[in-house]
Amino acid sequence: MNTKEEKIISILQDVTGLDNVGSDPDEDLFADGILDSMATVEVLVTLQDEFGIQVPVSEFDRSQWSTVNKISDRVAELE
Amino acid sequence: MHNITPYSSPEYFVYLAVLLLPIMIGLWFGKRFKWYESIATLIILVITFFGDKSLQGISLIFYILFEMLIVFSYLKYRRNENNKNSFWIFTSAVILAIIPLAFVKLDPLLKNATISLFGFLGISYLTFKSVEMIMEIRDGAIKEVKVGDFLRFILFFPTISSGPIDRFPRFQKDVLKIPSREKYMEMLKSGTNKLMLGLVYKFIIGYFFGTLLLPKVSILALSYRDQAPLGISWALVAYMYVYSMYLFFDFAGYSLFAVAISNFMGVNTPMNFKRPFQSVNIKDFWNRWHITLSFWFRDFIYMRLMFFMMKKKLIKNRVTMANIGYFALFIIMGVWHGETWFYIVYGLFHATAMITNDAWLRFKKKHRKQIPSNKFTKAFAIVLTFNVVCFSFLIFSGFLNTLWFQ
């Protein structure tokens, strides 16, 4: 696991208040009810600040951002 | 001739069957007849909008030209790399795109007969699609639109009158490719199932509740109006459930038709309902009821508003921010339904329900160990949600307006 993923996991843990988020990097965050709309926006805003990227809300396709691994891929693309 | 509302009469299904046949044969042999699809669309539009005085049809033409002008001007603006992604130009484009709908919706308030002349069946749904395109052009999710693609998306006839509301990038993925024979077979099969289920929903169950039962309970409830304060009676309770059943089966039936016909044309239009009466809470309900509309509101109003407030750090408290978002979303939804007190109250009621639900979920999270969770609590949750929803539909129906004020 690289630092980017660690950073993403720590953001997810901060937002959701759950310590075990990210133990499985392929866990579906939306299907398991970990992220709702509000938490999603918070994660996106934090990602913007932390990585200095622009995440367009409507380009935000849930299926593309649904796991820790996928978020990491998207961040890498946008960086 | 008169205008035929889509899926409302046997006639319409006969026209559909005849028009669809060449499209289906084409897809079966791996071909999409673009020209033929345009002609079929034109014929359906004529049947739907130009049947009588053609007023609706003429409004539709002007409306499409107007929206096209806005969408393509904005696209041109965004494609010029010298332009900044201006918030004000974006906002103006969205407001302009909404103006025709706003005028039509203001009608009950102004009671001006000339305004309603500009309305046509489905204007709301076409506006949702246009606004979605503007928003996605802003975000760069849509980079290129051809005039033909725009028209095909906006005027896609299976969904033209009442949705489901598709999204342009998703729709393009479907129409630009041709499903393999195997895939298409599956689509035909699932489309046929949906069509049959839709017939049962709309023309049998919906008809039973809406046409046979509803007028009876309505008369009954009105006859008891002076017996108790606020006209509350068992008949009113019956009206609430009968109306809720009618609303669901009629609209879910229509939506099944729209998805089925899309499937026959090789397009996977998203479904609008997912067993809404089995929802365990109100949030769950909005993920299952009129899904394409609630997701539209979620993605293009709620999340955007949250994003904006969080970025500008307007409000510190997350809960307050979410609650403001709920009120904004549901008041807009209420106003969209129409400028009457009961639609606005319906919106406020759902915003309050969402906020209460969120508070309960937070409480539950904190006291997970003390609160039992088993199949009885789940059954209770479903029954409670169902009744809250039915009560909101009673408000929505406008029957209380008749009962109290007329």
Side-chain angles (χ1 to χ4, degrees):
Chain A
M1 196 175 291
N2 57 35
T3 47
K4 183 181 289 156
E5 278 162 32
E6 277 167 16
K7 220 164 159 185
I8 291 168
I9 290 171
S10 101
I11 292 171
L12 285 169
Q13 287 174 345
D14 282 351
V15 169
T16 59
L18 301 168
D19 296 332
N20 55 354
V21 175
S23 49
D24 171 10
D26 290 315
E27 180 184 26
D28 190 325
L29 301 164
F30 295 110
D32 297 339
I34 295 165
L35 290 181
D36 58 10
S37 310
M38 186 69 198
T40 307
V41 173
E42 215 172 334
V43 169
L44 291 182
V45 172
T46 321
L47 285 173
Q48 286 205 349
D49 294 345
E50 296 270 319
F51 292 98
I53 52 172
Q54 279 293 322
V55 187
V57 193
S58 71
E59 210 167 342
F60 174 78
D61 172 354
R62 279 178 187 236
S63 63
Q64 301 264 307
W65 293 78
S66 54
T67 69
V68 170
N69 278 337
K70 285 182 182 173
I71 295 175
S72 169
D73 292 346
R74 294 293 88 71
V75 170
E77 274 171 25
L78 290 165
E79 259 177 331
Chain B
M1 270 287 277
H2 56 95
N3 288 354
I4 302 176
T5 308
Y7 311 114
S8 66
S9 67
E11 260 176 295
Y12 186 82
F13 285 93
V14 173
Y15 287 127
L16 262 189
V18 173
L19 287 170
L20 281 177
L21 203 62
I23 297 177
M24 291 164 73
I25 293 171
L27 284 170
W28 182 259
F29 290 104
K31 294 215 163 53
R32 248 186 215 286
F33 306 126
K34 232 175 132 181
W35 277 106
Y36 177 79
E37 281 188 21
S38 314
I39 294 166
T41 303
L42 206 62
I43 296 173
I44 291 280
L45 293 181
V46 169
I47 293 171
T48 313
F49 297 103
F50 286 91
D52 45 33
K53 292 176 218 130
S54 340
L55 208 59
Q56 285 215 13
I58 292 163
S59 303
L60 175 73
I61 292 172
F62 277 105
Y63 173 84
I64 294 292
L65 290 173
F66 179 73
E67 296 292 330
M68 212 151 91
L69 184 72
I70 299 165
V71 169
F72 283 92
S73 309
Y74 189 62
L75 183 69
K76 201 171 167 212
Y77 165 79
R78 286 290 288 130
R79 288 182 59 155
N80 185 338
E81 281 169 17
N82 297 325
N83 290 327
K84 281 194 305 183
N85 192 353
S86 156
F87 174 77
W88 293 110
I89 291 182
F90 162 69
T91 313
S92 314
V94 171
I95 290 173
L96 279 174
I98 295 172
I99 281 179
L101 176 66
F103 261 109
V104 172
K105 289 284 174 181
L106 277 175
D107 188 45
L109 212 61
L110 302 173
K111 297 203 167 37
N112 183 337
T114 50
I115 286 179
S116 59
L117 291 181
F118 297 110
F120 56 87
L121 183 73
I123 184 172
S124 296
Y125 292 89
L126 302 196
T127 306
F128 286 130
K129 288 196 202 176
S130 308
V131 172
E132 173 249 329
M133 287 186 79
I134 294 170
M135 299 232 179
E136 302 209 309
I137 287 169
R138 172 188 165 89
D139 287 349
I142 298 174
K143 293 192 171 69
E144 205 195 328
V145 187
K146 294 195 189 96
V147 173
D149 291 341
F150 175 84
L151 291 174
R152 177 164 53 184
F153 173 63
I154 296 284
L155 295 174
F156 186 59
F157 68 79
T159 61
I160 197 160
S161 59
S162 307
I165 310 156
D166 210 344
R167 309 263 171 108
F168 184 72
R170 203 217 64 76
F171 182 80
Q172 284 306 99
K173 269 186 209 152
D174 281 0
V175 290
L176 291 181
K177 67 165 195 250
I178 294 155
S180 66
R181 169 124 2 140
E182 227 182 349
K183 268 243 175 76
Y184 189 57
M185 268 280 271
E186 255 170 54
M187 290 175 97
L188 286 181
K189 222 173 103 188
S190 117
T192 310
N193 284 336
K194 285 171 194 142
L195 188 68
M196 294 302 150
L197 191 63
L199 289 171
V200 173
Y201 271 24
K202 190 169 162 69
F203 295 122
I204 298 177
I205 309 179
Y207 176 82
F208 170 74
F209 282 111
T211 311
L212 298 182
L213 226 48
L214 201 63
K216 294 203 174 73
V217 287
S218 165
I219 292 168
L220 208 59
L222 287 172
S223 73
Y224 285 118
R225 72 202 293 182
D226 300 322
Q227 310 275 325
L230 295 175
I232 293 165
S233 63
W234 286 111
L236 183 64
V237 176
Y239 185 93
M240 174 175 98
Y241 291 119
V242 171
Y243 178 80
S244 302
M245 288 302 119
Y246 158 69
L247 191 65
F248 170 71
F249 284 106
D250 187 73
F251 196 24
Y254 158 82
S255 300
L256 281 165
F257 292 148
V259 176
I261 303 303
S262 308
N263 287 167
F264 293 157
M265 295 173 70
V267 174
N268 282 309
T269 295
M271 288 287 275
N272 242 352
F273 294 90
K274 205 169 92 194
R275 303 180 184 187
F277 295 140
Q278 288 178 24
S279 314
V280 292
N281 61 44
I282 206 75
K283 216 173 199 173
D284 189 25
F285 171 77
W286 281 110
N287 286 330
R288 294 157 170 270
W289 175 271
H290 205 174
I291 298 168
T292 58
L293 180 78
S294 59
F295 283 11
W296 192 97
F297 274 89
R298 179 195 71 193
D299 293 348
F300 297 119
I301 296 181
Y302 185 80
M303 285 182 67
R304 269 162 201 280
L305 188 65
M306 292 298 109
F307 205 72
F308 182 78
M309 289 203 286
M310 228 180 261
K311 247 169 90 177
K312 302 270 166 192
K313 300 194 170 62
L314 292 178
I315 292 150
K316 281 265 152 60
N317 188 304
R318 225 175 101 183
V319 176
T320 317
M321 203 189 292
N323 293 351
I324 291 173
Y326 288 141
F327 270 111
L329 186 158
F330 282 105
I331 288 171
I332 294 172
M333 196 189 265
V335 168
W336 166 68
H337 278 299
E339 277 65 40
T340 59
W341 70 266
F342 45 89
Y343 290 138
I344 311 290
V345 172
Y346 169 77
L348 294 173
F349 180 84
H350 269 286
T352 313
M354 286 293 268
I355 291 168
T356 314
N357 181 50
D358 265 14
W360 162 248
L361 289 179
R362 278 195 304 276
F363 180 82
K364 205 168 108 176
K365 218 178 194 171
K366 267 191 209 149
H367 303 82
R368 207 180 285 278
K369 294 206 180 80
Q370 291 100 308
I371 297 169
S373 177
N374 51 46
K375 56 179 186 217
F376 294 108
T377 58
K378 197 185 166 193
F380 175 74
I382 291 173
V383 171
L384 181 66
T385 307
F386 174 71
N387 282 286
V388 168
V389 164
C390 288
F391 182 70
S392 79
F393 289 157
L394 176 65
I395 302 172
F396 179 81
S397 73
F399 186 67
L400 294 176
N401 194 47
T402 318
L403 189 71
W404 293 342
F405 306 118
Q406 278 167 26

